[in-house]
Amino acid sequence: MKRSTFSSKFGMLAAAVGSAVGLGNIWKFPYLAGENGGGAFIIVYLLCVLFLGVPALLSELSLGYIGRSNGIGAMRNITGNNRWSIIGILGFLGSFIILGFYFVVAGWSLEFVYQSVMGSFIGQSGEVITQNFDTFRFDTWRPYLWTVVFIVLTAVVLYAGVEKGIEKWSKVLMPMLFVIVAYLCVYAIFLPNSGEGYKFYFDFDFSKINADVVIAALGQAFFSLSLGMGAMMIYGSYIEKGTNLAKTSIQIASLDTLVAVLAGLVVFPAVFSFGIDPAAGPQLVFITLPTVFAQMTGGYIFSIFFFLLLAVAALTSTISILEVQIATVAEEFKMNRKLSLVLVSVIMLVVCCMCSYSLIPVEGGNELVFFGVSLFDICDIITSYIILPLGGLLIMLFLGWFYKKEDLHYVLVVETKCSEGLFKVYYFFLRFIAPLLLLAVFLQQLGLF
Ligand code: PHE
């Protein structure tokens, strides 16, 4: 059977940008910037995207494009043996771990759309809103229900396949997402005191930069660009021959970064406008912002659109991660695509419910909290700090040191029309700069550097 491909450039770009733009941009990026000194973090982040993110993205798309299969199969097709398939295996396992917490947070976004529509935040104090969030998270069925709804939504889109599912929906959802962010950004300008937010956000105080900030920015760049997990590889394998991969990578990285920066332009003016701490951490979006919406004129509309934005962004990302699982199972085990979809969705259902449960304080200790860390957090930490950077490192080591330079040159310059100069710069980063940076981060994390 002929393998599916995206039918148009716009559709391909929408799908890839859809994968990149997700909870990482709207939930994680603002709180990381808030915790790590605002403007200083942004500068470091931009550098990470440019020097590491773009080369890694181009590498991953290229491997998929050349290998024309899921991560495991693509590496086998390229090398003729199974040695490098570890890249695909790592990504495949990683996809279950990442989705374990991702679907849960995505489910929360639906609950918050619902609560926004019901007007539950209006006029409430911060304490009530915090309590509501906990009551919801610790509830015996609501968080699970929304998680299940999100898994089903994702599965329904994927059921229709690459072109009629992923591509078609991305073409609708991504423009919608851009309209919502733009609307919220403009809206935020007119909030009283919004200037304070911009000041914080654009305060380039370089004394705030330290190793932790760099590591946070680097992990975030990988997470946000959907790297190291085979998602971009599988999308690369659906890209039509001849498409300019270098240009596509730059476009994806630019749009992804744009949305992250814009999300900050929505969040910080709002937060400062009401004198709230910008360093609230992961709860910034789910507690801090509703507290802001509660007091804000027009907060009702603002909150509906904001959480809708979060849900849409999350959906186009979960689509790409679940696709890794579906394609891998279908291709590697020669299983019917629909059967494979049902199988992985059921597995995710179990994993996600466990992650969601691990957040609940249980008398006598929660069985899914290990050494004081919940399964939910373990999944987040393992993916952001280990699997994604490790996957990225392996991909770049393979392409830079084990794949013939002439072959890569042929694919990128001759076949997909990347300029000679850009290829040279890319190849230099691919071989030296990017792997060294990643290695330094690993050593730093192990306390060796
Ligand atoms: N890039 C997505 C986000 O920012 C998350 C993601 C990671 C998607 C890895 C696919 C693979 O939310």
Side-chain angles (χ1 to χ4, degrees), residues 361-366:
V362 178
E363 232 175 284
N366 186 315

Side-chain angles (χ1 to χ4, degrees), residues 148-412:
V148 172
V149 169
F150 216 98
I151 296 177
V152 172
L153 272 179
T154 309
V156 165
V157 172
L158 286 168
Y159 190 81
V162 175
E163 198 191 319
K164 298 208 176 69
I166 304 177
E167 182 173 352
K168 193 178 110 195
W169 280 98
S170 302
K171 283 201 292 201
V172 177
L173 293 174
M174 289 319 286
M176 186 170 137
L177 180 138
F178 275 92
V179 172
I180 301 179
V181 201
Y183 166 76
L184 291 176
C185 273
V186 174
Y187 196 111
I189 298 176
F190 299 103
L191 292 174
N193 229 357
S194 58
E196 288 304 309
Y198 296 124
K199 227 189 260 158
F200 171 79
Y201 202 46
F202 293 114
D203 166 30
F204 302 124
D205 178 356
F206 292 104
S207 67
K208 287 183 183 155
I209 297 175
N210 56 35
D212 289 342
V213 174
V214 177
I215 290 180
L218 214 132
Q220 172 62 11
F222 258 75
F223 185 86
S224 192
L225 289 172
S226 304
L227 295 172
M229 214 211 58
M232 285 301 176
M233 209 147 141
I234 198 86
Y235 277 9
S237 76
Y238 299 141
I239 293 181
E240 203 126 36
K241 288 276 172 194
T243 308
N244 189 327
L245 295 177
K247 194 168 120 197
T248 304
S249 306
I250 294 172
Q251 285 169 334
I252 297 170
S254 311
L255 288 170
D256 181 61
T257 307
L258 178 70
V259 175
V261 173
L262 290 180
L265 287 179
V266 174
V267 171
F268 291 110
V271 164
F272 275 86
S273 181
F274 293 91
I276 286 171
D277 179 18
Q283 47 174 313
L284 182 67
V285 161
F286 292 106
I287 293 180
T288 312
L289 279 185
T291 310
V292 171
F293 300 149
Q295 308 164 34
M296 183 169 138
T297 344
Y300 178 76
I301 296 291
F302 197 97
S303 69
I304 294 178
F305 278 106
F306 183 83
F307 289 112
L308 207 58
L309 171 71
L310 199 62
V312 169
L315 181 60
T316 47
S317 296
T318 53
I319 288 173
S320 74
I321 313 178
L322 204 66
E323 175 63 18
V324 170
Q325 302 178 348
I326 296 172
T328 306
V329 172
E331 290 170 352
E332 294 306 306
F333 298 103
K334 313 254 173 309
M335 195 187 274
N336 171 299
R337 191 184 148 93
K338 304 216 155 123
L339 192 63
S340 138
L341 179 145
V342 174
L343 181 72
V344 297
S345 304
V346 171
I347 296 177
M348 277 329 306
L349 228 75
V350 177
V351 179
C352 292
C353 287
M354 284 167 63
C355 278
S356 188
Y357 172 79
S358 76
L359 292 172
I360 303 178
V362 178
E363 232 175 284
N366 186 315
E367 303 85 337
L368 294 175
V369 172
F370 306 96
F371 304 105
V373 190
S374 63
L375 184 65
F376 178 97
D377 286 328
I378 293 176
C379 288
D380 186 3
I381 295 167
I382 294 186
T383 34
S384 294
Y385 293 105
I386 303 175
I387 297 192
L388 303 187
L390 185 62
L393 181 64
L394 288 175
I395 285 175
M396 288 196 277
L397 284 179
F398 171 76
L399 216 49
W401 295 90
F402 293 88
Y403 192 70
K404 266 211 217 102
K405 185 177 177 185
E406 301 85 77
D407 292 349
L408 189 60
H409 180 271
Y410 179 81
V411 171
L412 290 182

